[in-house]
Amino acid sequence: MLRIILGKHLSQSPGSIELAYGLHGKPMVKGHPDDIEFSLSRSRDVCVVAVAHATQIGVDIEAIRPLDDALQIARSRFKPAESAAIDSSDKFFRLWTRKEAVAKCLGWGLTLPFDVFEVDPAATDPEHLTVEYQGERSAIALSETALDVEGFVGSLAQMR
């Protein structure tokens, strides 16, 4: 039987775990005292789940694939310096996962406009950034996830 362990002494069956949703739709374990945070992402047939204790996290993965309008999407969604760095689908998806991981970490997901914060497309891990949006300021550590899956890229964001 599959069991999910939450905390040191609590073991629950998967069906007994309830989810709640934050102000902007981020899922969380309902009423759990151990401050379990999680984020999940899937692309095609690959899924990644990140779990943390007492810190907000966000994860995103994408299959690298041809994208004819990558530059157009970047220009409409990203900061100008980020768009200028896009010269391939690989770079587009690397940057996209970095942006989406930050947005998920903040609890906004894709409702957060990607042009209100900037990530360094050429950053070495981890990149430390501050995001200011609607009067809130958040310090985040951003890194690429270690994916052992050919043709995918991923990023993990964590509150500092």
Side-chain angles (χ1 to χ4, degrees), residues 36-96:
I36 299 297
E37 291 281 337
F38 71 94
S39 180
L40 62 98
S41 179
R42 73 167 190 83
S43 181
R44 297 194 176 167
D45 60 348
V46 175
C47 179
V48 173
V49 179
V51 180
H53 178 260
T55 187
Q56 292 173 283
I57 57 172
V59 67
D60 189 50
I61 61 165
E62 292 290 338
I64 298 170
R65 58 202 180 271
L67 190 62
D68 295 335
D69 56 351
L71 189 54
Q72 180 181 355
I73 293 169
R75 285 181 179 148
S76 69
R77 304 279 313 261
F78 299 166
K79 292 275 195 179
E82 296 167 331
S83 297
I86 304 296
D87 62 7
S88 68
S89 291
D90 289 13
K91 287 185 181 177
F92 173 83
F93 286 112
R94 180 176 186 266
L95 187 58
W96 182 274

Side-chain angles (χ1 to χ4, degrees), residues 125-140:
D125 289 340
E127 174 185 3
H128 298 281
L129 60 135
T130 301
V131 177
E132 293 184 47
Y133 186 62
Q134 293 191 347
E136 292 187 27
R137 184 180 177 116
S138 303
I140 294 179

